Amino acid sequence: TLEDPSRDGRLVGITIWYPALEGTGLPGSGPRLDADADTSGAPYPLLLSSTKAARIFAPYLVSRGFTWASVDHIDSYMKMKNEMFDQPLDILFALNQAASNQLEGLGGMIDAEHAGAMGYSFDGYNTLALSGAAG
């Protein structure tokens, strides 16, 4: 969780997904936590979304040569309100953090110059908002 000073110290939780070496990290049936990075194809292009969408798409796409920065604790909303502005800005903040901060063990892994956002439903809206779509 990082603090965005440009938005009154808004806290933004970010999860980083990356290609990992087989047999490393904490065991489990899904993505492995704290696994050793597979640097053989680095740097890997970066995808961005909510963590909710990343749980669906990231395991497949990361295993095929992408990194992913997902924003934790953002979700859909039933009425138009501040989330419509905050969520795309949270994702942009995640991009800026991934581009400017070398995470321990992930140096040289993330190619933030080749980045894209994706998702469906509210993440589809976030993607359109990030691309400059106007209502």
Side-chain angles (χ1 to χ4, degrees), residues 39-87:
T39 59
S40 64
Y44 299 99
L46 177 65
L47 294 170
L48 299 120
S49 73
S50 69
T51 298
K52 186 174 186 176
R55 285 188 189 113
I56 298 167
F57 298 112
Y60 180 81
L61 291 168
V62 167
S63 71
R64 281 150 179 83
F66 290 89
T67 54
W68 200 300
S70 64
V71 177
D72 304 335
H73 310 296
I74 61 173
D75 204 341
S76 59
Y77 38 89
M78 299 306 291
K79 296 180 181 176
M80 296 175 72
K81 50 187 178 176
N82 286 346
E83 283 92 345
M84 292 191 71
F85 306 104
D86 288 334
Q87 289 182 9

Side-chain angles (χ1 to χ4, degrees), residues 90-114:
D90 290 345
I91 293 170
L92 184 59
F93 178 74
L95 169 62
N96 290 335
Q97 294 304 305
S100 62
N101 294 325
Q102 293 291 324
L103 299 171
E104 185 178 331
L106 297 181
M109 288 287 290
I110 298 173
D111 181 359
E113 293 294 318
H114 295 95

